[in-house]
Amino acid sequence: MTPMFATVPNPIPARMKGLNRAEICDVNFSEFVKAWDGRSDAKPTAHEAILDGSALDAQGFRELFESQLISRHLDLMARVLRVQNKVFYTIGSSGHEGNAMVARLTRHTDPAFLHYRSGGFMAERFRKLPGTGGKKLDPVMDSALSFAASKDDPASGGRHKVWGSKPLWVLPQTSTIASHLPKALGTAVAIEAGRRLGHQLPVPDDSIAICSFGDASANHATAQTAFNAAAWTAYQKLPAPVLFVCEDNGIGISVKTPSGWIANRFQHVDGLDYFFADGLDLASGYGDVQKAVEHCRRTRRPTFLHLKTNRIMGHAGTDFEIEWRSVEELCTVEAADPLLRSAEIALESGLMSKDEVLELYEATRKKCFAAAEEADRRPKLDKLADVIAPLAPYSPEKVKREAARADYGDRRLEVFGSEAKLPENQPPRHLAIQINNALHDIFAKYPDTLLFGEDVAQKGGVYTVTKGLQKAFGPRRVFNTLLDETMILGMAQGFANMGMLPIPEIQYLAYFHNACDQIRGEAASLQFFSNNQYANPMVVRIAGLGYQRGFGGHFHNDNSITALRDIPGLVVGCPSRGDDAATMLRTLTALAKVDGRVSVFLEPIALYMAKDLYEAGDGQWLTTYPKPDEAMTLGEGRVYGEGNDDLVIFSYGNGVPMSLRAARAIEANHGWKVRVVDLRWLVPLNEAYIVEQARSAKRIIIVDEGRHSAGVGEGVITAIAEGGFGARPFQRVVGVDTYTPLAGAAFLVIPGEDDIVAAAGRLA
């Protein structure tokens, strides 16, 4: 066989100035094949190397070539039908079709988190599992349904154009800026951790996690945190079998990546094993991709595959590159079209004739357009209830039963030591101790529970809330992480993907904002964008809110929970006392187990050690530990002073004991009977419950320790107004829109008891 050509000459210099580069690339291919006049070798057998020196055999090449053509014609179809309003996504995979090699050389049970230019990968991975449940899998039809935003789209149900497949272990991604890298690494870590824990993984024990992204995305902070954490893990000789695939096309929309940057940046990173492969040439690139995949699977080390690609036809259908790139540059880029090289290999090797190549090319086009027309006829999402159905699944009866399930008595005795030492048999305790007891209970109930974060292990957390957990359940279930909230939440998603129940800790609410997108854009969106096929259930513990004395400042007294309130599908609970914390945690873990939900357990730091309510030594804020068969219903508040209607105070967290103390002064000043309502659940607010509590109220005060703008109080007021009681006299006592200062000045910017009493005076 003849040696491979190093380059493919520009086939059509005459079409240099055309506006529609997709059309030009399309015609380029046909005319290149027609004009090819090289010598063909004898047709290779199925298992003979496609060309001398190649690790790829003829059958493998033929199938990869077909996958490349499927990917290309899906792009071309999308460009044509978008203007007819039949397709709603035109970011394409053209020039990246070489990622099909990664799909071929990995397994369909290797969890994949993919770049949006992954048409070739998906077409090839479909070969791994031609059918499931009696249904034939079809990459063309499935993709067409997604492009058309059809309700029948098997990936997202028409909610977004995503590459995803439940049977093929491709978890749908909406990330365009590498925010999927932390959870890919987390999944790799979870595969190994689960195996060592004896957990039954949903994938084979020697699986690897695959994560693809572009060269521009490699610069993003979320990518950098994943690379750093991978190297940090490898440095400690901890296994993390993740294959990072950087598809380097040299440009991010219009910003060029400096030549050689990716190789220079990653080739010598300690703890990140670097491989290069030419994704533009199947014959030469295949063996190098194979080496990277085999290395990752064998060594269980983080592996970086630098895959050379190209981007032709622009970033998307609306990107007219001719307006901002030179004609000469465009022609150079288009001359490096990987499909031209694949056609050349097919012809040069003797595997296919020119007519056979063109026939396959046109047959693939026909199939893609036929699928698109059929997809256009399929139903769309046209009802709000259908759109949001997978966003926040809730099975109240199942959750209630699971939360109250207490069939692990023997394990409880083993953990706590004896019947006499069970927490429900102890005197009343403060919030921190009851959270600690509840966590011990949850770990005893669910052997697949893991708790991790900064300082949570031997130290037991900054406030000793996790004290003793590592000793009781071992370092594989309770462990410290590197100081990186993004990676903590990425790891939580990985453990959840592998069927475990993670309870990550974010040390302070202010630190959550560093990593918010891992919940907002990734964890909380997975059920929605996968049509509830995938879930990453977790309970995120966050210590926060204000009123600390002696340990203050903004980062330790952050009272801004607006970012949490704005995440669709998220559940946020905030207990003010120990018994509520225990029953709330049981419900949150049940929500995770039953409905796959993501939740935040917001712990008021200033109440951790609170014992007294009205005066020193009264012990009225201590609570007994609820028996393990007691749980709290999602959305259920707690009422103090049931039936008192002169004034109703709505609050949560620190505001509850403050309001109770203020109520005494208000009753003394005005003779009013005061009812205090602890909301307990902040997201979603139980609007029906709020309205019911407001119905009989003569006056209303909302005590919100958050900030004035976009806080919980606004939601309470809105619920009351929309419930028909907006005319009731009311006052809002709320924090100021500012950062929290140090020392005594902090109490000037958050509500106090005197503010509540003064608000009541204004209602008199």
Side-chain angles (χ1 to χ4, degrees):
M1 294 184 178
T2 57
M4 292 175 286
F5 294 155
T7 60
V8 177
N10 186 358
I12 313 178
R15 278 194 193 80
M16 294 171 61
K17 296 185 179 180
L19 181 65
N20 189 336
R21 307 311 294 185
E23 183 179 275
I24 288 173
C25 292
D26 186 19
V27 175
N28 275 358
F29 182 88
S30 298
E31 296 205 1
F32 172 76
V33 173
K34 291 174 184 176
W36 191 82
D37 59 359
R39 185 175 67 83
S40 298
D41 291 317
K43 185 174 183 177
T45 61
H47 301 295
E48 185 179 355
I50 188 64
L51 290 177
D52 288 343
S54 176
L56 179 62
D57 64 25
Q59 179 179 329
F61 169 79
R62 170 69 187 239
E63 292 179 349
L64 283 169
F65 188 29
E66 290 175 357
S67 294
Q68 287 185 309
L69 293 177
I70 288 171
S71 178
R72 176 61 56 84
H73 277 296
L74 286 171
D75 285 357
L76 293 171
M77 172 273 291
R79 299 295 176 91
V80 172
L81 297 185
R82 178 66 193 97
V83 296
Q84 300 176 31
N85 211 36
K86 294 182 177 181
V87 161
F88 302 94
Y89 194 87
T90 59
I91 295 179
S93 304
S94 295
H96 285 248
E97 292 90 352
N99 56 35
M101 293 186 287
V102 180
R104 187 171 188 85
L105 287 161
T106 54
R107 305 171 184 163
H108 79 273
T109 49
D110 290 329
F113 306 83
L114 299 180
H115 186 223
Y116 49 48
R117 303 193 192 280
S118 296
F121 182 103
M122 287 300 297
E124 186 63 26
R125 181 165 271 210
F126 270 80
R127 297 183 192 280
K128 304 280 184 178
L129 197 65
T132 179
K135 179 183 177 183
K136 185 178 184 299
L137 297 179
D138 181 354
V140 175
M141 192 65 221
D142 284 5
S143 299
L145 289 165
S146 185
F147 278 104
S150 169
K151 191 176 180 179
D152 294 339
D153 163 28
S156 73
R159 288 166 185 83
H160 194 47
K161 165 63 190 74
V162 290
W163 297 116
S165 170
K166 180 65 173 177
L168 295 175
W169 266 100
V170 179
L171 291 80
Q173 304 305 307
T174 57
S175 167
T176 58
I177 51 169
S179 57
H180 58 302
L181 271 71
K183 67 180 178 183
L185 174 59
T187 299
V189 171
I191 290 169
E192 289 296 311
R195 181 176 61 83
R196 294 183 176 197
L197 282 167
H199 171 73
Q200 183 63 51
L201 292 167
V203 297
D205 287 358
D206 65 343
S207 297
I208 65 174
I210 304 161
C211 181
S212 61
F213 50 93
D215 50 294
S217 294
N219 300 297
H220 199 272
T222 46
Q224 293 297 317
T225 196
F227 300 143
N228 179 71
W232 185 86
T233 303
Y235 181 76
Q236 299 176 85
K237 294 182 171 54
L238 300 172
V242 59
L243 180 67
F244 291 121
V245 183
C246 181
E247 299 184 16
D248 183 4
N249 64 25
I251 195 166
I253 302 184
S254 68
V255 180
K256 294 180 182 178
T257 297
S259 179
W261 166 246
I262 295 298
N264 182 73
R265 170 67 179 83
F266 293 100
Q267 197 166 5
H268 304 294
V269 176
D270 189 25
L272 204 57
D273 300 341
Y274 176 91
F275 291 80
F276 174 81
D278 188 352
L280 301 176
D281 189 324
L282 298 181
S284 66
Y286 190 81
D288 293 323
V289 174
Q290 186 174 39
K291 290 175 186 176
V293 172
E294 290 177 351
H295 172 85
C296 184
R297 198 177 304 280
R298 183 183 71 256
T299 65
R300 319 304 287 165
R301 283 175 56 84
T303 303
F304 188 98
L305 173 59
H306 180 190
L307 188 67
K308 181 182 179 182
T309 61
N310 194 2
R311 192 193 78 191
I312 62 174
M313 297 163 46
H315 174 72
T318 54
D319 180 18
F320 299 109
E321 289 184 295
I322 193 70
E323 296 178 349
W324 57 272
R325 296 182 87 170
S326 72
V327 170
E328 292 75 18
E329 183 182 4
L330 282 173
C331 289
T332 300
V333 169
E334 290 160 3
D337 183 346
L339 264 62
L340 301 183
R341 176 57 186 153
S342 293
E344 184 184 36
I345 294 169
L347 297 167
E348 178 190 343
S349 67
L351 181 66
M352 301 174 73
S353 68
K354 291 195 286 186
D355 287 345
E356 287 172 327
V357 171
L358 292 172
E359 182 180 345
L360 178 60
Y361 189 74
E362 294 305 324
T364 307
R365 183 200 308 275
K366 183 178 180 180
K367 184 176 182 181
C368 289
F369 271 87
E373 293 295 343
E374 170 61 24
D376 182 56
R377 291 189 287 269
R378 298 287 187 91
K380 302 289 195 296
L381 288 168
D382 56 6
K383 294 182 177 63
L384 175 60
D386 291 341
V387 171
I388 64 174
L391 174 63
Y394 179 40
S395 310
E397 290 304 315
K398 290 181 180 179
V399 169
K400 181 180 179 180
R401 286 196 300 271
E402 179 60 25
R405 179 173 62 83
D407 55 359
Y408 55 102
D410 291 344
R411 181 62 174 138
R412 291 190 82 225
L413 290 174
E414 184 181 339
V415 167
F416 289 106
S418 68
E419 185 77 28
K421 293 181 180 179
L422 290 174
E424 60 267 33
N425 295 329
Q426 303 306 306
R429 303 291 192 190
H430 52 74
L431 176 66
I433 287 180
Q434 301 300 35
I435 293 175
N436 181 272
N437 285 329
L439 290 170
H440 276 80
D441 245 340
I442 288 165
F443 267 67
K445 184 174 182 176
Y446 300 114
D448 56 0
T449 304
L450 306 170
L451 187 145
F452 47 91
E454 300 159 18
D455 304 304
V456 300
Q458 298 92 335
K459 180 178 174 59
V462 173
Y463 300 97
T464 70
V465 175
T466 58
K467 184 178 180 180
L469 280 169
Q470 188 184 65
K471 183 178 180 180
F473 299 101
R476 290 180 178 174
R477 294 183 65 190
V478 181
F479 52 91
N480 292 326
T481 65
L482 74 173
L483 199 156
D484 183 343
E485 286 75 23
T486 297
M487 199 58 238
I488 290 170
L489 296 178
M491 192 176 299
Q493 292 172 79
F495 282 116
N497 289 333
M498 291 297 101
M500 289 169 267
L501 177 59
I503 305 181
E505 179 186 291
I506 302 299
Q507 200 166 77
Y508 290 100
L509 177 58
Y511 299 172
F512 170 74
H513 304 303
N514 301 335
C516 177
D517 191 52
Q518 287 301 301
I519 299 298
R520 179 188 179 87
E522 299 294 333
S525 72
L526 182 59
Q527 285 178 288
F528 182 78
F529 286 118
S530 71
N531 202 15
N532 206 22
Q533 296 177 86
Y534 283 104
N536 36 211
M538 66 183 73
V539 180
V540 184
R541 292 181 47 248
I542 305 179
L545 305 178
Y547 300 96
Q548 287 193 81
R549 295 182 182 274
F551 189 54
H554 165 59
F555 288 109
H556 303 116
N557 285 274
D558 187 12
N559 62 338
S560 175
I561 63 173
T562 301
L564 292 170
R565 292 190 66 224
D566 192 43
I567 299 176
L570 185 68
V571 172
V572 179
C574 180
S576 62
R577 44 188 273 178
D579 52 354
D580 283 356
T583 56
M584 182 180 283
L585 269 172
R586 292 168 188 169
T587 297
L588 291 175
T589 52
L591 273 170
K593 281 291 185 179
V594 173
D595 290 318
R597 298 291 292 277
V598 178
S599 64
V600 167
F601 184 67
L602 187 59
E603 303 170 9
I605 298 171
L607 295 179
Y608 272 150
M609 309 301 174
K611 301 177 178 64
D612 306 322
L613 178 57
Y614 296 111
E615 55 190 36
D618 69 13
Q620 291 195 43
W621 211 242
L622 300 172
T623 63
T624 56
Y625 187 77
K627 293 181 180 179
D629 60 356
E630 297 177 29
M632 184 191 302
T633 301
L634 175 63
E636 178 185 46
R638 178 185 285 276
V639 175
Y640 300 84
E642 187 75 52
N644 294 345
D645 297 335
D646 292 330
L647 172 65
V648 174
I649 302 175
F650 292 92
S651 195
Y652 63 92
N654 293 288
V656 175
M658 276 199 309
S659 296
L660 288 170
R661 288 190 289 269
R664 278 196 169 185
I666 292 168
E667 289 175 1
N669 291 346
H670 304 287
W672 297 343
K673 296 297 183 181
V674 180
R675 187 191 330 156
V676 175
V677 178
D678 183 354
L679 297 168
R680 300 197 293 196
W681 299 95
L682 308 185
V683 180
L685 282 173
N686 188 341
E687 295 179 351
Y689 176 79
I690 292 169
V691 170
E692 191 57 36
Q693 291 296 323
R695 185 180 304 277
S696 59
K698 296 176 182 176
R699 306 165 188 85
I700 296 171
I701 294 177
I702 297 97
V703 178
D704 180 1
E705 61 184 287
R707 295 178 186 167
H708 185 273
S709 298
V712 172
E714 289 187 359
V716 175
I717 293 169
T718 300
I720 293 170
E722 291 181 347
F725 301 103
R728 296 289 162 85
F730 80 90
Q731 289 282 306
R732 178 165 62 129
V733 180
V734 65
V736 179
D737 284 339
T738 183
Y739 300 104
T740 304
L742 196 61
F747 294 90
L748 300 175
V749 304
I750 50 180
E753 293 167 35
D754 290 344
D755 299 315
I756 302 171
V757 174
R762 292 191 293 272
L763 292 173

